[in-house]
Amino acid sequence: ALISDMPEFLGLSIGLYPVTFAAFVAGMKARPKHFPVTSFRMLRDVARDSLVIQNTLGFCAHRYNVSSVLLPGGRTLYIRADYYITPIPGTSSRLGIILAYDYDAITRDSELIAQLSIPHPAVTKYDGPTLDTFAFLLEVADARVTASPFGVLGRNCYWLADVLFCCMAR
C-alpha cells in the first residue's frame, strides 16, 4: 500500500516511511505541485494496542489527519500527517508524513472524527486548497513544533490534528 515512487515524484531523496514534514516540504518546494486537495479528515486511532489508549486507560486516542489529493489521470493520493510520540528514526522530528494510494491501509483501526469535502475540480471551478498550500501549512506546523517541542498539555497529536484541520477549513 505504501508507494515507493512518491519520494521521487516529490523530489525526495529518501524512500523511508514516515518522512519528516521538513523533507516533504523540501520536496514540494523543489517541484511545486498544484494538485487539488479534495478532502481533509481528522481521525483517531482506536486500536487496542495503541500506546496512547493503553497509557490513558482508553480515555484518549491518538489523532491524525489524512488529506486526499487528486493526481493527473484521476488517481487519488492519500497523505497521512502524524505527530509521533518518539522522533522518526534518523531524525529529531516527531512530525511525519505517510503517502499511500490505499486509504484503508493508512487508516486501519481508526475512526473518522471530522471531514472537509471540497468540490471535485471536474464539477466546479476549483479554487480550494492544493498540495502546495498543504505543504506550506505543514512547514508552519513544523516551525511551531521546533520552537516549542512536545508537551502533554501543549504540542501533541491533538494540537496538530486540530490546527491542521481548522487551517484547512479556512
Side-chain angles (χ1 to χ4, degrees), residues 51-135:
L51 288 176
V52 177
I53 288 180
Q54 290 176 1
N55 291 338
T56 63
L57 302 175
F59 181 71
C60 296
H62 176 70
R63 287 190 184 177
Y64 62 92
N65 301 102
V66 174
S67 70
S68 304
V69 178
L70 185 63
L71 300 177
R75 195 163 196 185
T76 300
L77 170 68
Y78 300 100
I79 303 173
R80 177 175 169 160
D82 257 314
Y83 195 126
Y84 293 95
I85 294 172
T86 57
I88 295 169
T91 74
S92 61
S93 179
R94 294 173 187 257
L95 304 177
I97 294 290
I98 296 176
L99 308 167
Y101 289 130
D102 182 355
Y103 176 79
D104 293 332
I106 61 172
T107 61
R108 190 171 293 120
D109 296 324
S110 297
E111 291 179 347
L112 182 67
I113 297 172
Q115 177 174 330
L116 300 170
S117 293
I118 300 143
H120 195 283
V123 175
T124 62
K125 180 182 179 300
Y126 189 79
D127 63 352
T130 63
L131 186 53
D132 292 341
T133 56
F134 180 56

Side-chain angles (χ1 to χ4, degrees), residues 4-31 97 99:
S4 59
D5 58 327
M6 286 312 296
E8 181 180 329
F9 168 80
L10 291 170
L12 299 175
S13 61
I14 58 174
L16 303 174
Y17 290 99
V19 296
T20 65
F21 277 23
F24 180 80
V25 169
M28 288 300 302
K29 286 183 175 179
R31 295 186 178 129
I97 294 290
L99 308 167

